[in-house]
Amino acid sequence: MRLYRLTTATIFQRKAWAICTLAVIGMPFALPLLSSATENPVLVQPARILAGWNTLWVCTLFWGLLTAAREGESNAKSGIGEYFATTGVSPTRQLLEIWLAVFTFIAPLAVITALICQFAATPADPLERAMWWTLNFQYTALFLLVTAPLLALATALASRFGGITGFTVTLLIALYGLYGVGYLDNMLKIEENPVIQSLLLCSPQYRFADLTQRLYYKDGALPSGAFTTMLVYFAGILAVYAGLSRICFRTKLTS
């Protein structure tokens, strides 16, 4: 795990993770004070939910993907990947260790956000409160299952096509899955179109992993059947992205 330790130390030394950590911890408490939520105490907790999870998504999609892309590009350009290859570390192992290093910084941010929602935005109603642990756990699991393969894909694409390409392409895929598919769905509700229907069916439905509105409106935990189906669906996407990432990843620049 030498490459993992080297990548982790590199990310740690840049200190950008500290800014993300402070944002994830501070924004849920600071933003409600700057909004109209202070005029009605009932709105403070929902405002914390929105601020907390939206901050986490922003930090992950921008800093997380950018960091993954930077490390993938650096591994190929600097000769580190080629060096580790000569010591017997396979490309698959290198990709896994770089991904794990970035994920090591992202996973705690998700846990922190879930804990803030659990203890600083818990509903007063006992029935709603009883489901809060389950819903926060479900959201955290889905969030990590969605973002994990995106980090690997950003690393792999950057190692082959450069950091900007790796970051931009992966970010666009994530934003499309979170928001773009919703527009396609609305278009189909207005007028049926087989082309758009086929495109929608092939698109990653990341919007289903965003449970912020479910927390905000206190809709309760997902039914176990629906949650299991979503886990299987996103695990399938993970498998596809893992294969694509391995195909794209390279340990050195081609001459």
Side-chain angles (χ1 to χ4, degrees):
M1 299 292 284
R2 289 180 299 163
L3 181 56
Y4 166 76
R5 292 194 295 270
L6 176 62
T7 307
T8 302
T10 301
I11 297 173
F12 185 84
Q13 287 297 323
R14 292 196 182 114
K15 299 295 189 299
W17 62 270
I19 299 175
C20 292
T21 303
L22 291 175
V24 167
I25 296 175
M27 287 301 183
F29 299 96
L31 289 182
L33 298 178
L34 302 176
S35 67
S36 59
T38 54
E39 300 175 3
N40 188 349
V42 177
L43 299 178
V44 172
Q45 291 181 338
R48 285 176 182 167
I49 293 170
L50 291 177
W53 284 103
N54 286 336
T55 300
L56 176 65
W57 279 107
V58 170
C59 289
T60 302
L61 294 183
F62 287 89
W63 175 76
L65 294 180
L66 182 61
T67 300
R70 178 185 296 177
E71 295 305 321
E73 181 182 37
S74 175
N75 189 69
K77 278 189 174 182
S78 64
I80 295 176
E82 190 173 7
Y83 164 74
F84 277 103
T86 61
T87 63
V89 181
S90 66
T92 302
R93 178 69 177 269
Q94 291 189 36
L95 175 61
L96 177 62
E97 291 191 22
I98 295 173
W99 166 83
L100 185 59
V102 181
F103 192 72
T104 298
F105 289 87
I106 296 298
L109 297 181
V111 174
I112 290 172
T113 302
L115 291 176
I116 290 175
C117 287
Q118 180 62 41
F119 294 106
T122 307
D125 187 283
L127 295 177
E128 295 174 343
R129 190 184 309 161
M131 294 185 290
W132 214 242
W133 276 107
T134 303
L135 183 53
N136 278 301
F137 169 77
Q138 290 176 340
Y139 198 171
T140 305
L142 292 174
F143 173 84
L144 294 176
L145 193 57
V146 163
T147 55
L150 289 172
L151 295 173
L153 186 62
T155 302
L157 291 176
S159 71
R160 180 172 293 272
F161 303 108
I164 295 178
T165 301
F167 167 70
T168 303
V169 171
T170 314
L171 177 63
L172 290 177
I173 291 174
L175 294 177
Y176 171 69
L178 284 169
Y179 307 107
V181 292
Y183 289 105
L184 294 181
D185 193 20
N186 290 333
M187 291 174 62
L188 288 175
K189 291 177 181 178
I190 297 174
E191 182 179 358
E192 291 189 5
N193 186 307
V195 177
I196 296 179
Q197 179 69 37
S198 300
L199 180 60
L200 183 62
L201 291 175
C202 297
S203 301
Q205 304 290 328
Y206 294 144
R207 55 178 176 156
F208 295 142
D210 186 355
L211 304 183
T212 306
Q213 295 300 316
R214 196 172 187 89
L215 283 166
Y216 184 85
Y217 291 109
K218 303 176 184 179
D219 291 333
L222 291 169
S224 58
F227 179 61
T228 302
T229 300
M230 293 174 68
L231 288 179
V232 173
Y233 172 74
F234 289 120
I237 294 179
L238 185 150
V240 173
Y241 282 14
L244 290 175
S245 298
R246 178 58 191 88
I247 293 172
C248 293
F249 183 76
R250 64 182 180 183
T251 59
K252 63 179 180 179
L253 294 175
T254 58
S255 56

